[in-house]
Amino acid sequence: MRYGKFASVYDELMEDIPYERYVEWVAAHVKSGTLLDLACGTGTLSQLFAEMGYQVTASDLSEEMLAIASQRFQDAQLQIPLLQLSMDHLEGLAGFDAVTIAIDSLNYLETEQQVQETFKEVHGALNAGGHFFFDVHSLYKVDHIYMESPFVYDGEDISYIWHTAEGDFDHSVIHDLTFFIRNGEFFERFEETHEQRTFPVEQYSAWLEDAGFEVMETTADFTNEKPGDDSERIFFHAVKK
């Protein structure tokens, strides 16, 4: 999945995401140590972890996202290694106390095999007893909420029209986005298509166990509550056996 011009507007569109609560969730289980932030995007979460004292390595597949993350780290005077890797091919990375895949990034993997391979790769990258944290869209969000499009956002400098359609697989969605970005007195238009897929909580848990993890908790929507029928975002915390 390539993020083209979308990378340049990503931070503004994600400004409502409570990244600090994500850090608090991880810090409640791993106080310090080495941390691999997979699918780091523009590096917001990586920066927060580094400022908390973690030894962070950040990775993403998108050159555009990594360029923005690099500038972010430079501006913050943070020495965070940046790698261009797919989460299902970590090229022998090892020695981490924690791994994160945040903000539904795992849902960009198309096949069951890619998800399973990612879990195996993460398992190999972790130290014994290491912690794995990630979140995914719920079935309810993909099958119902996303199908209520179009969604419209009208900001001062950025606007978009967001259409969705069912994808080729069960519990998958195709996002067709049209952006209008202010450029002086005018607006520049560009379009991108993103595809996501999710699976039942029980399936993710089974794949984690098959990869050698113990699932410690599943929660929903940035709370400590168990997922319900109308939960939108599911959080997993697993530990390498």
Side-chain angles (χ1 to χ4, degrees), residues 12-44:
E12 181 168 344
L13 299 180
M14 301 293 283
E15 62 184 3
D16 291 335
I17 294 291
Y19 288 104
E20 292 81 4
R21 290 170 68 179
Y22 219 106
V23 174
E24 291 171 1
W25 176 46
V26 172
H29 303 284
V30 183
K31 304 299 183 184
S32 61
T34 52
L35 184 146
L36 175 61
D37 185 18
L38 293 175
C40 68
T42 60
T44 299

Side-chain angles (χ1 to χ4, degrees), residues 109-124:
L109 297 177
E110 181 177 308
T111 69
E112 298 180 12
Q113 290 74 21
Q114 285 177 297
V115 178
Q116 292 173 282
E117 191 62 32
T118 295
F119 290 172
K120 293 176 183 177
E121 291 284 290
V122 170
H123 187 274

Side-chain angles (χ1 to χ4, degrees), residues 159-229:
S159 298
Y160 66 72
I161 303 172
W162 173 8
H163 291 273
T164 61
E166 293 183 9
D168 296 331
F169 306 99
D170 290 342
H171 316 305
S172 67
V173 59
I174 299 171
H175 308 278
D176 286 315
L177 300 125
T178 302
F179 290 93
F180 302 88
I181 311 299
R182 182 181 294 280
N183 184 3
E185 297 181 3
F186 303 98
F187 281 82
E188 177 186 0
R189 170 178 171 159
F190 68 89
E191 298 178 353
E192 289 200 11
T193 297
H194 295 211
E195 299 183 31
Q196 290 187 301
R197 183 184 185 186
T198 198
F199 299 92
V201 171
E202 296 77 14
Q203 183 64 81
Y204 284 116
S205 296
W207 286 335
L208 284 166
E209 292 171 2
D210 289 344
F213 287 100
E214 179 181 358
V215 180
M216 307 303 293
E217 63 177 354
T218 56
T219 56
D221 299 330
F222 291 98
T223 72
N224 293 321
E225 301 297 323
K226 287 288 185 183
D229 292 340

Side-chain angles (χ1 to χ4, degrees), residues 48-111:
L48 291 174
F49 280 125
E51 290 172 346
M52 285 279 291
Y54 295 90
Q55 300 172 50
V56 178
T57 298
S59 171
D60 203 282
L61 188 58
S62 166
E63 292 181 10
E64 295 86 357
M65 289 289 196
L66 289 172
I68 295 172
S70 178
Q71 187 62 55
R72 177 192 300 278
F73 301 156
Q74 182 178 331
D75 292 344
Q77 297 183 331
L78 293 170
Q79 301 297 317
I80 299 176
L82 273 171
L83 307 173
Q84 186 177 12
L85 295 172
S86 176
M87 65 184 82
D88 58 338
H89 293 287
L90 299 184
E91 299 182 2
L93 284 178
F96 293 95
D97 300 311
V99 173
T100 58
I101 305 177
I103 318 302
D104 58 79
S105 295
L106 193 77
N107 292 131
Y108 280 97
L109 297 177
E110 181 177 308
T111 69

Side-chain angles (χ1 to χ4, degrees), residues 134-138 201 218-221 227 231-236:
F134 68 94
D135 66 274
V136 293
H137 292 316
S138 68
V201 171
T218 56
T219 56
D221 299 330
S231 299
E232 297 184 26
R233 188 180 295 274
I234 313 299
F235 292 76
F236 289 83

